[in-house]
Amino acid sequence: MTQTFPAEVQSVLDGVRDLLPTFRERADETERLRVVPDASVKELEETGFFRLFQPRRFDGLEADPLAFYTAVRDIASADGSTGWIASVVGVHPWQVALFSDEAQQAVWGADTRVRLSSSYAPTGKAVQAEGGFMLSGKWSFSSGCDHCSWVLLGGLVFNTEGQVVDFRTFMVPRDKYQIVDVWNTVGLRGTGSNDIVVEETFIPEEFTLSMGETGQCKGPGQAINTSDLYKLPFHSIFTSTIATPIIGMARGAYAEHVEMQQKRVRAAYIGEKASLDPFSAVRIARASSEIDAAWALVMSNLREEQAHVARGEQIPLELRLRVRRDQVLGTARAIEAIDTLFEASGGRALAEGTYLQRVWRDAHAGRVHAANDPERALQMYGAQQFGHKIEPGMY
C-alpha cells in the first residue's frame, strides 16, 4: 500500500527509519533492562513520532493513521519491545484529544512533550463524588510507564449504593500513582509493563471520559479538535495499535529469515544450500503473503472508516466489527508467519541474542493481549451477520 504523506509527516517516517539499525543494536540491552532505554525514547521524540496523533494546537501533526501505523510497523521490525511501547504510548495523544480542554491543558499546556501510559482493564474502582470521582486500586500491564508523567486508567464507576453505573477512563498525574516493578516475562521484556497503584484520590469529572460516549465516537474534546482523525472509533484505533507491532515483528522476521537462508548451508542435507531448497522457497512465499494480507486488511478497513467520517456518515456497526475481525486475524496471520519462518531457520536461530528467537517470544507475548482475543471478536462479527443484537463491547 503506497501512500504519499505531507512533508512534515514524511520527515517523521524518514527519521524513524534512520533509527532502525540503532534499535536493532539495542535489543539485547532493552531486554536486559526490562525497559526501553531512555536514549531510544528520546530519539523517537526528536523525530516527532509522539506528535503524530497529537492535536495541532499542542504542536502536534494530526497525522493520517496510516502514517502512525507505518512508523510503528517499522520500529517493531527492528525491535518488538521498542515498537510495542512506541505504539501504545504514541496512540494516547489521540485519546487525550477527546478529553475536556481543561484536561488537555493540564497535560500539554506547559510542555507539549508530555507522554502518557495506560491500563484499561477495570481492576480499580471509582466511586461517584461531588464534582468527580474517588479512584483507587491496582492496574497491570502499563507499557512504557517509566517514560510517562500521566496515566490513563480504565475503571468501573460505582454510585454511593455500590451499584455499577459507568465505565470511564481516568487521567491521573504522576504524583498521584506509584509504579510497581513486576515485569519479569519471557517476551516483550523491554516494555516495562509494570503495575500502577493509586491510593484513594479525587479525580475531577473533567479529567474523565465515559467509555459509553467514547464508543459512540464522541468526546468533549471534539469541539476544539475538529479533525476527522478524532471521530474514528476508539476500539478501531486502539486494537490496531496492538496488532500493528506484531505485524511489524513478522516483517522483521521475514527479512532476517531470508538473509539467513541465503547464507545457510544445511549440514543434515549433505551441505545443501538452503536458498536452493524448493520447500524453503514455498515457506517464504506463504509467510510473505500472510504478512502482506494482515497489513492490507487492517489498513484498508481503517481507510473505509475514514471515508465514512469524511462524508459525515455514521460508521456502520458491521464495519466496526469487521475491523475487529481482521485485526485479530491479522495478528494470527503474522504470528503464523513468524512460526513458519522460525521453524525453518535451523538450530542457530535458537541462540541467545539472535533476532528470530526474540521476535518469536515477543510476538507470542503480544498475542495474549486482551485485544487479540480471537474468539470474542469473531463471535461478535458472526453474531451480527446472523442478525443478533450485539452488546456494547470491544468494537
Side-chain angles (χ1 to χ4, degrees):
M1 183 180 295
T2 302
Q3 179 71 42
T4 301
F5 300 111
E8 59 184 356
V9 173
Q10 187 60 51
S11 175
V12 174
L13 298 183
D14 293 342
V16 164
R17 288 175 183 139
D18 288 343
L19 291 172
L20 300 186
T22 300
F23 294 157
R24 181 79 175 262
E25 290 172 5
R26 286 189 188 133
D28 281 338
E29 178 188 7
T30 300
E31 279 212 313
R32 177 177 55 80
L33 294 174
R34 295 183 299 113
V35 64
V36 173
D38 290 339
S40 295
V41 175
K42 186 175 187 295
E43 288 159 353
L44 280 175
E45 179 185 288
E46 290 172 348
T47 69
F49 170 79
F50 293 112
R51 298 180 186 271
L52 286 172
F53 272 167
Q54 198 156 308
R56 287 193 178 276
R57 66 199 192 98
F58 292 111
D59 300 331
L61 297 173
E62 295 186 5
D64 187 327
L66 180 57
F68 174 78
Y69 293 121
T70 298
V72 168
R73 181 198 67 187
D74 291 348
I75 298 165
S77 73
D79 176 56
S81 289
T82 305
W84 187 271
I85 74 114
S87 193
V88 171
V89 174
V91 79
H92 291 142
W94 182 90
Q95 189 180 13
V96 174
L98 301 180
F99 277 78
S100 69
D101 183 52
E102 182 179 347
Q104 294 178 55
Q105 293 290 348
V107 173
W108 291 316
D111 184 358
T112 58
R113 297 170 299 175
V114 167
R115 294 181 295 270
L116 305 89
S117 66
S118 68
S119 178
Y120 293 97
T123 52
K125 178 180 179 181
V127 179
Q128 290 176 327
E130 184 176 353
F133 308 87
M134 297 302 299
L135 182 70
S136 61
K138 181 176 74 173
W139 287 260
S140 297
F141 314 123
S142 188
S143 300
C145 57
D146 289 296
H147 300 293
C148 301
S149 50
W150 290 74
V151 68
L152 298 166
L153 300 174
L156 295 172
V157 177
F158 295 80
N159 61 19
T160 53
E161 285 75 42
Q163 300 166 321
V164 176
V165 293
D166 201 357
F167 176 31
R168 286 183 173 262
T169 299
F170 297 85
M171 183 185 291
V172 186
R174 183 65 186 86
D175 61 349
K176 299 293 185 182
Y177 63 89
Q178 295 179 337
I179 297 173
V180 182
D181 185 353
V182 297
W183 193 244
N184 293 285
T185 58
V186 297
L188 292 176
R189 286 181 57 82
T191 62
S193 302
N194 289 307
D195 288 354
I196 302 294
V197 175
V198 177
E199 301 294 339
E200 192 168 65
T201 189
F202 178 74
I203 307 296
E205 173 91 26
E206 294 76 16
F207 286 69
T208 74
L209 272 181
S210 171
M211 293 300 287
E213 189 175 35
T214 305
Q216 300 174 51
C217 302
K218 296 178 181 178
Q222 290 175 338
I224 43 180
N225 300 318
T226 58
S227 168
D228 285 352
L229 170 65
Y230 304 117
K231 299 172 186 175
L232 293 167
F234 172 89
H235 286 111
S236 296
I237 292 293
F238 272 67
T239 57
S240 298
T241 296
I242 297 303
T244 299
I246 298 175
I247 296 172
M249 295 176 212
R251 285 170 63 95
Y254 176 81
E256 176 75 5
H257 176 78
V258 170
E259 182 178 351
M260 287 179 62
Q261 296 304 96
Q262 288 174 333
K263 301 174 182 177
R264 181 182 171 205
V265 175
R266 306 182 70 185
Y269 291 89
I270 321 176
E272 176 189 73
K273 291 183 177 180
S275 61
L276 299 178
D277 178 5
F279 302 110
S280 177
V282 170
R283 293 187 194 102
I284 286 173
R286 288 187 181 278
S288 65
S289 178
E290 292 300 308
I291 297 166
D292 289 347
W295 176 249
L297 282 172
V298 171
M299 293 303 111
S300 65
N301 287 336
L302 283 173
R303 277 285 180 257
E304 194 169 339
E305 288 189 325
Q306 286 179 281
H308 282 283
V309 171
R311 294 191 296 264
E313 300 170 354
Q314 183 176 0
I315 299 172
L317 174 61
E318 189 277 337
L319 175 55
R320 294 174 66 168
L321 292 173
R322 180 163 23 112
V323 169
R324 290 287 287 123
R325 180 198 72 184
D326 292 338
Q327 174 254 316
V328 297
L329 291 179
T331 296
R333 279 178 152 156
I335 291 176
E336 182 178 345
I338 291 169
D339 286 348
T340 296
L341 297 169
F342 183 58
E343 291 164 8
S345 291
R348 296 189 186 280
L350 297 171
E352 289 186 4
T354 60
Y355 180 90
L356 277 171
Q357 57 82 25
R358 181 183 298 110
V359 78
W360 185 86
R361 290 185 288 109
D362 287 346
H364 280 274
R367 169 67 181 80
V368 304
H369 191 283
N372 287 326
D373 181 349
E375 288 79 16
R376 193 173 303 276
L378 298 179
Q379 185 275 333
M380 286 193 298
Y381 181 86
Q384 193 270 343
Q385 295 296 301
F386 283 133
H388 300 318
K389 180 180 178 181
I390 305 299
E391 297 299 327
M394 292 189 70
Y395 60 79

